[in-house]
């Protein structure tokens, strides 16, 4: 599993962002380290602490570093000079809170550094999408191999309706990601004429803007396609465990 | 007159800069409150106090060890962008100066150049962006020019200090393009850049230390 480092000027900000992200991966979060604030509890960043944080979550799968603004970026760049990490260390251009939530969920599913990096980067476009515009940012990725010519592959499709109050917002999306991660299948979700998006991408799912009553079209292929659909149907029909 | 420059001169430079920053921290913070987040004075004071503590604990004998200690102290104690920027300056400066106990003006000019290039690479800024580089670039150029004329380290440092002060003053009418001040756009006009101001102090301290 890749490691994640949070660099912020503020320790309370970093801790709170981390709490928010961890709510979505209660059972098996990736290794995460914070490097936030100055040593004496003030506002600021410290390249040495960033370096130590990187080494504390380092491993062969690599480390993704998320930062807030200004000197957090400079300190993280500086830390790369100090930290002799075993795996690749990458600095993410993602916005801190949104990027962290996206990255933690994706990393918990065992995704590679490339996949987690991409997921974090998509966080800003997911938000723009939710606000009803594309914000000049790219649309969610098109589905691959969706043509009818692939019919030799077993592709199963179902349509389910969201019954929970808040629709496919962050927490339910995180649960759906987990269900998709737990099986050996490629799962995609479309709704509202949008998508399909990768069901392992919490930010992708949120771009669908699926509220209560929305019909989700879920497509799965691969050895566990049936199990994937069953698990997702159960989650959706159960309202993701929320009050309905 | 200081030629060659000894490690004692260099320590005196850093102590003088620390004392200046300490004494003028309210002024630096005032400048930073106009166009930044009002912490430059506090941050630089904290950083340079950490540097002085290291010097007090036993001043290194060689230029590279001295500047490595200085750079690391700044990187881990300043908190703001000036930590990695000044930290990089001193780390590169020390690496270029090498494992020596004294250095001539020309070699020290090359070391200053290496420090400057580190800051440029770290901050991705250039002259005219309203940053410390507006004072540092002319300072290093003036030092190199003067050293090439064979006028000695103290004269070169004095030329560098004057050039950095002119560079600092030139930041007043500029619209900031880097750092927190860039969020203010046109409202950053009419204020000296705090980073350029502390950099001018750095070079004036060098001139003072080498004149002694």
């Amino acid at each position: 599993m890749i490691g994640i480092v949070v660099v912020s000027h503020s320790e309370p900000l970093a801790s709170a962002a981390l709490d928010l992200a961890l709510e979505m991966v209660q059972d098996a979060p990736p290794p995460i380290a914070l490097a936030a604030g100055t040593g004496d509890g003030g506002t600021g960043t410290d390249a040495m602490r960033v370096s130590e944080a990187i080494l504390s979550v380092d491993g062969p799968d690599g480390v993704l570093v998320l930062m807030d603004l200004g000197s957090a970026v400079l300190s993280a760049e500086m830390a790369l000079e100090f930290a002799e990490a075993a795996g690749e260390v990458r600095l993410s251009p993602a916005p801190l809170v949104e990027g962290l939530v996206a990255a933690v969920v994706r990393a918990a599913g065992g995704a590679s550094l490339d996949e987690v990096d991409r997921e974090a980067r998509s966080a800003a476009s997911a938000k723009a999408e939710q606000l009803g515009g594309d914000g000049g940012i790219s649309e969610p990725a098109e589905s691959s191999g969706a043509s009818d010519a692939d019919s030799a592959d077993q592709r199963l499709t179902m349509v389910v309706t969201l019954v929970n109050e808040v629709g496919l917002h962050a927490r339910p999306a995180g649960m759906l990601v987990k269900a998709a991660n737990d099986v050996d299948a490629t799962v995609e979700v479309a709704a509202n004429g949008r998508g399909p998006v990768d069901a392992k991408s919490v930010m992708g799912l949120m771009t669908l803007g699926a509220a209560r009553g929305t019909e989700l079209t879920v497509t799965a292929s691969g050895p566990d396609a049936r199990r994937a659909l069953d698990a997702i149907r159960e989650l959706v029909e159960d309202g993701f465990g929320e009050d309905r | 007159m200081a030629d060659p420059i000894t490690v004692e001169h260099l320590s005196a430079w850093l102590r003088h800069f620390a004392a200046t920053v300490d004494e003028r921290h309210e002024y630096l913070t005032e400048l930073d409150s106009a166009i930044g987040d009002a912490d430059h004075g506090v941050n630089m004071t904290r950083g340079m106090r950490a540097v002085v503590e290291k010097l007090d604990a036993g001043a290194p004998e060689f230029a590279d060890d001295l500047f490595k200690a200085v750079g690391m102290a700044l990187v881990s104690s300043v908190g703001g962008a000036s930590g990695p920027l000044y930290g990089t300056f001193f780390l590169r400066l020390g690496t270029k100066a090498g494992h020596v106990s004294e250095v001539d003006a020309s070699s020290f000019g090359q070391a200053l150049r290496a420090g400057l290039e580190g800051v440029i690479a770290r901050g991705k800024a250039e002259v005219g962006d309203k940053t410390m580089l507006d004072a540092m670039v002319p300072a290093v150029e003036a030092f190199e020019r003067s050293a090439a004329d064979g006028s000695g380290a103290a004269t070169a440092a004095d030329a560098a200090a004057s050039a950095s002060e002119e560079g600092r003053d030139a930041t007043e009418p500029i619209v900031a393009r880097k750092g927190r001040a860039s969020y203010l756009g046109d409202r950053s006009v009419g204020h000296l850049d705090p980073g350029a101001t502390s950099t001018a102090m750095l070079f004036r301290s060098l001139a003072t230390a080498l004149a002694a």
Side-chain angles (χ1 to χ4, degrees):
Chain A
M1 209 177 275
I2 75 154
I4 293 177
V5 171
V6 182
V7 182
S8 171
H9 280 68
S10 157
E11 204 285 324
L13 173 60
S15 299
L18 178 58
D19 288 346
L20 186 65
L22 288 180
E23 279 188 8
M24 313 202 27
V25 287
Q26 280 136 349
D27 44 356
I32 305 176
L34 306 184
T38 56
D40 55 7
T43 301
T45 59
D46 174 345
M48 289 311 297
R49 293 178 76 195
V50 179
S51 172
E52 286 157 14
I54 288 170
L55 293 178
S56 76
V57 297
D58 177 35
D61 295 336
V63 176
L64 188 69
V65 183
L66 291 124
M67 298 145 286
D68 64 17
L69 65 171
S71 74
V73 181
L74 293 179
S75 290
E77 287 178 322
M78 184 121 212
L80 293 186
E81 295 186 21
F82 302 140
E84 290 180 3
E88 183 186 350
V89 182
R90 204 177 291 178
L91 307 184
S92 169
L96 179 62
V97 176
E98 295 85 345
L100 180 64
V101 172
V104 166
V105 174
R106 190 74 179 212
S112 69
L113 181 58
D114 277 341
E115 290 166 326
V116 177
D117 179 19
R118 211 176 310 125
E119 178 74 1
R121 285 166 190 260
S122 75
S125 57
K127 190 183 203 170
E129 185 92 8
Q130 199 179 355
L131 288 169
D134 64 7
I137 308 173
S138 60
E139 294 285 311
E142 286 293 312
S143 121
S144 56
S147 86
D148 292 339
D150 289 343
S151 55
D153 255 357
Q154 197 194 18
R155 284 177 66 84
L156 301 176
T157 299
M158 71 171 180
V159 175
V160 282
T161 302
L162 289 170
V163 296
N164 62 318
E165 186 65 42
V166 289
L168 202 56
H169 75 138
R171 226 179 81 81
M175 295 172 75
L176 201 149
V177 168
K178 186 172 181 313
N181 273 327
D182 285 347
V183 293
D184 183 5
T186 300
V187 186
E188 292 176 330
V189 183
N192 294 328
R194 291 182 183 150
V197 299
D198 183 353
K200 292 178 184 174
S201 165
V202 69
M203 289 298 154
L205 291 171
M206 288 172 69
T207 65
L208 298 174
R212 181 185 180 132
T214 299
E215 286 187 344
L216 302 182
T217 303
V218 186
T219 307
S221 56
D224 287 343
R226 169 65 60 194
R227 282 180 56 206
L229 292 191
D230 288 347
I232 291 169
R233 179 191 302 277
E234 192 176 325
L235 272 178
V236 171
E237 290 180 348
D238 184 45
F240 298 94
E242 294 177 357
D243 290 336
R244 276 169 280 164
Chain B
M1 301 298 270
D3 204 357
I5 303 168
T6 64
V7 169
E8 286 70 31
H9 285 122
L10 297 173
S11 293
W13 170 29
L14 297 162
R15 286 181 185 279
H16 191 278
F17 180 52
T20 307
V21 162
D22 226 318
E23 193 182 301
R24 315 254 2 236
H25 77 271
E26 284 180 12
Y27 174 60
L28 290 174
T29 289
E30 187 187 312
L31 293 177
D32 199 27
S33 65
I35 60 170
D37 47 3
D39 62 3
H40 192 53
V42 174
N43 285 348
M44 288 304 292
T45 300
R46 186 169 54 231
M48 289 310 295
R49 280 184 184 167
V51 167
V52 169
E53 269 174 40
K54 280 211 180 176
L55 296 181
D56 286 346
E61 283 178 57
F62 299 103
D64 54 352
D65 298 333
L66 172 71
F67 288 121
K68 183 169 189 199
V70 171
M72 296 307 271
L74 291 174
V75 158
S76 55
S77 67
V78 170
S82 36
L85 291 170
Y86 277 116
T88 300
F89 176 75
F90 285 114
L91 289 170
R92 298 281 196 281
L93 174 68
T95 304
K96 184 71 182 176
H99 200 58
V100 294
S101 57
E102 55 181 49
V103 54
D104 65 24
S106 163
S107 303
F108 192 65
Q110 289 171 21
L112 289 174
R113 166 66 59 181
L116 167 65
E117 281 168 2
V119 176
I120 291 171
R122 175 76 59 224
K124 300 172 187 75
E126 55 188 48
V127 169
D129 284 343
K130 199 175 179 109
T131 71
M132 63 197 291
L133 285 173
D134 286 320
M136 192 178 282
V137 169
V140 173
E141 284 174 354
F143 191 100
E144 286 171 328
R145 262 199 313 276
S146 179
D149 291 344
S151 46
T155 308
D158 192 56
S162 299
S164 71
E165 285 156 3
E166 282 171 33
R168 170 202 65 198
D169 293 345
T171 61
E172 189 166 340
I174 299 178
V175 179
R177 287 199 293 259
K178 288 281 170 182
R180 204 79 69 94
S182 65
Y183 298 157
L184 294 176
D186 288 343
R187 281 180 292 145
S188 64
V189 171
H191 302 280
L192 288 181
D193 178 63
T197 304
S198 61
T199 295
M201 291 173 182
L202 178 72
F203 282 94
R204 183 50 69 192
S205 289
L206 177 65
T208 305
L210 296 190

